[in-house]
Amino acid sequence: MSNGAVAEPVRDPGLQPERTRLAWRRTTLSGTVAAVLAMKTALHGRVSVVGIVVCALCFGLWLGFLALAHRRIRVLAASAEPTALAPRHATATVLFTVALAACGAALVF
Amino acid sequence: MHVIEFVRNARLWFAPQQIRREGGTPDYRFSLANERTFLAWLRTALALIGGGFAVDQFLPDLRWGWRVGLALALLAAGVLCSLRAVNHWVRCERAMRRGEDLPVSRFPAVLSIVVAIVAVAMVVVVLVGWEG
């Protein structure tokens, strides 16, 4: 009986890669909420050139964040024992966050 | 002291090979747990930034100074939180590679006390606002 069993891929019982993948998803959701609020602020009241430019900038930042998250999620999904996050990758996500906050500071004034 | 160490760590943020040269590679599960902690702090930072935008948008009756001040404070807290997130992640990753104890931090306590103070201030503002 047992010799007919198909060898299953090794799976971490703690589901660490899956949990990490979902953590990235949650983070992109938080980023989406922040970006939507930023774009609402940018287009509030009279529509101006500056408002449209900042809105496009926030959208670009959101896209960049999404692309980084997607890249990491693909790495996590591809192997049972994924490699650790690269510092450059982590720094890039933080820089997108900081840039969003900088846009906010510019808009609030 | 803290600032100097922060700047020294900041070079590591961009140099993956420099971290990889130190010590041995830890169990991938520990690295993933560290990554999730980093992401949780990043979400906290994004929530603070979103809160800054929300204060600016949804409290139009607030006086200009209060509104802008509160929004900027929340945005600044978000920036601080995200920079600290990546810094703490690098420090944890390096400690794990070297087999040292994980770094301890006062930041969570400071952040929670600040949030508590702001919450109490908001309660007072709401109560006084209703009476006046």
Side-chain angles (χ1 to χ4, degrees):
Chain A
M1 288 293 277
S2 60
N3 57 2
V6 181
E8 281 193 17
V10 184
R11 191 175 62 91
D12 175 9
L15 296 177
Q16 304 268 353
E18 282 84 351
R19 279 159 65 192
T20 311
R21 211 178 62 207
L22 290 173
W24 274 102
R25 280 271 173 256
R26 286 199 295 278
T27 310
T28 51
L29 264 178
S30 304
T32 307
V33 171
V36 165
L37 282 169
M39 288 191 266
K40 186 186 184 306
T41 307
L43 296 180
H44 184 69
R46 280 181 296 127
V47 176
S48 62
V49 177
V50 178
I52 290 171
V53 168
V54 174
C55 182
L57 195 65
C58 289
F59 187 72
L61 288 171
W62 177 74
L63 275 184
F65 196 96
L66 210 64
L68 278 176
H70 189 68
R71 241 179 67 192
R72 183 61 185 156
I73 283 170
R74 278 178 62 181
V75 170
L76 288 168
S79 80
E81 295 194 9
T83 52
L85 182 67
R88 213 176 293 164
H89 202 136
T91 309
T93 49
V94 165
L95 286 183
F96 279 125
T97 311
V98 171
L100 195 65
C103 284
L107 284 172
V108 166
F109 275 113
Chain B
M1 274 290 280
H2 278 82
V3 175
I4 293 169
E5 210 192 316
F6 190 83
V7 171
R8 201 182 302 143
N9 285 337
R11 275 184 309 178
L12 285 178
W13 301 356
F14 298 97
Q17 63 280 7
Q18 216 168 329
I19 281 196
R20 213 153 276 173
R21 218 179 288 144
E22 289 184 49
T25 306
D27 189 327
Y28 77 100
R29 285 171 293 184
F30 299 156
S31 288
L32 289 183
N34 192 20
E35 183 178 337
R36 288 198 297 277
T37 309
F38 163 68
L39 289 173
W41 277 112
L42 203 60
R43 283 197 295 279
T44 308
L46 282 167
L48 286 166
I49 291 169
F53 284 121
V55 163
D56 184 51
Q57 279 294 294
F58 301 121
L59 297 176
D61 298 335
L62 218 59
R63 253 185 299 161
W64 185 84
W66 275 99
R67 190 163 54 87
V68 170
L70 197 55
L72 285 183
L74 281 168
L75 289 171
V79 169
L80 200 68
C81 196
S82 60
L83 289 178
R84 185 264 173 191
V86 70
N87 194 49
H88 194 74
W89 175 81
V90 162
R91 286 173 68 198
C92 285
E93 201 71 11
R94 196 173 45 188
M96 286 194 297
R97 296 195 75 89
R98 289 175 178 169
E100 293 170 353
D101 288 342
L102 290 183
V104 290
S105 172
R106 272 186 219 100
F107 186 82
V110 171
L111 184 66
S112 45
I113 286 171
V114 168
V115 169
I117 289 171
V118 170
V120 169
M122 291 316 284
V123 168
V124 170
V125 165
V126 167
L127 287 178
V128 171
W130 272 343
E131 282 172 10

